[in-house]
Amino acid sequence: KAGVTQTPRYLIKTRGQQVTLSCSPISGHRSVSWYQQTPGQGLQFLFEYFSETQRNKGNFPGRFSGRQFSNSRSEMNVSTLELGDSALYLCASRGPANTGELFFGEGSRLTVL
Amino acid sequence: ILNVEQSPQSLHVQEGDSTNFTCSFPSSNFYALHWYRWETAKSPEALFVMTLNGDEKKKGRISATLNTKEGYSYLYIKGSQPEDSATYLCALRQTGANNLFFGTGTRLTVIP
């Protein structure tokens, strides 16, 4: 069974640009969450999608947005990039089991110059 | 913003030593406590999901306990091996929420 796949793995952008990151969950998983990790911080929750609907949102500015497609693939977009947006962005999918265990991708590392 | 704290931040142990780390969290609205293991250049992998006060779970040489009344969980590694070197994350899920609140992790280095 293929794991969670994130693309691209690495990217470099400049301030003011926008970026789109993609996440393909494990087959059969309908919930996709996004987390941001910056140095010295724990993983910070961005948002969660389930069946194409945003179910939950973290405390991030409106520049951070996302969506989910009918095949459960998800994208997140960050507009008007700032230096502080440099981070590792992790996507995780959750299956139907009640444990709530998350299955993570390897992340997309964004550097903003 | 919830305060999930992990200690120590990092530690080095000799191969064969046993070790343990702590995760503390607010006990109100508790739903579940997760432990993840994150090796460098890989993705975090779930170790345990615990929901009941007094829960003890074990996977090989790694075990965890949970005290929801006082808001802490311990992760134990018996007879550490170099392959145990990783960052260990705990995360809290509260009642009515689907997202997790993560601690900043404990980075373990096992010296051969």
Side-chain angles (χ1 to χ4, degrees), chain B residues 6-106:
Chain B
Q6 293 188 246
S7 62
Q9 196 170 30
S10 67
L11 75 163
H12 293 71
V13 301
Q14 291 292 137
E15 182 176 352
D17 286 352
S18 294
T19 188
N20 64 86
F21 337 126
T22 304
C23 172
S24 60
F25 51 86
S27 54
S28 58
N29 302 315
F30 176 87
Y31 184 81
L33 194 284
H34 295 221
W35 281 99
Y36 290 85
R37 169 192 153 93
W38 194 359
E39 291 182 70
T40 303
K42 294 188 178 180
S43 53
E45 289 185 355
L47 286 171
F48 306 112
V49 179
M50 296 186 288
T51 56
L52 298 175
N53 184 45
D55 250 357
E56 290 189 31
K57 296 215 170 179
K58 188 175 181 182
K59 187 182 287 189
R61 293 178 292 97
I62 304 177
S63 60
T65 61
L66 177 67
N67 184 321
T68 61
K69 295 190 186 309
E70 296 182 41
Y72 64 84
S73 175
Y74 294 135
L75 188 80
Y76 301 91
I77 302 179
K78 185 177 178 182
S80 303
Q81 299 296 308
E83 57 266 29
D84 296 329
S85 296
T87 296
Y88 292 83
L89 300 171
C90 71
L92 172 70
R93 182 177 174 184
Q94 289 194 307
T95 307
N98 290 312
N99 58 295
L100 300 181
F101 293 92
F102 281 84
T104 52
T106 293

Side-chain angles (χ1 to χ4, degrees), chain A residues 27-64:
Chain A
S27 177
H29 287 191
R30 293 162 65 189
S31 165
V32 174
S33 301
W34 289 88
Y35 288 83
Q36 180 199 63
Q37 193 202 32
T38 51
Q41 299 275 330
L43 297 177
Q44 303 289 316
F45 172 72
L46 282 154
F47 24 66
E48 184 205 9
Y49 286 87
F50 182 86
S51 293
E52 302 179 67
T53 301
Q54 188 180 88
R55 194 157 68 168
N56 206 359
K57 190 177 190 319
N59 191 25
F60 278 82
R63 300 184 298 107
F64 291 81

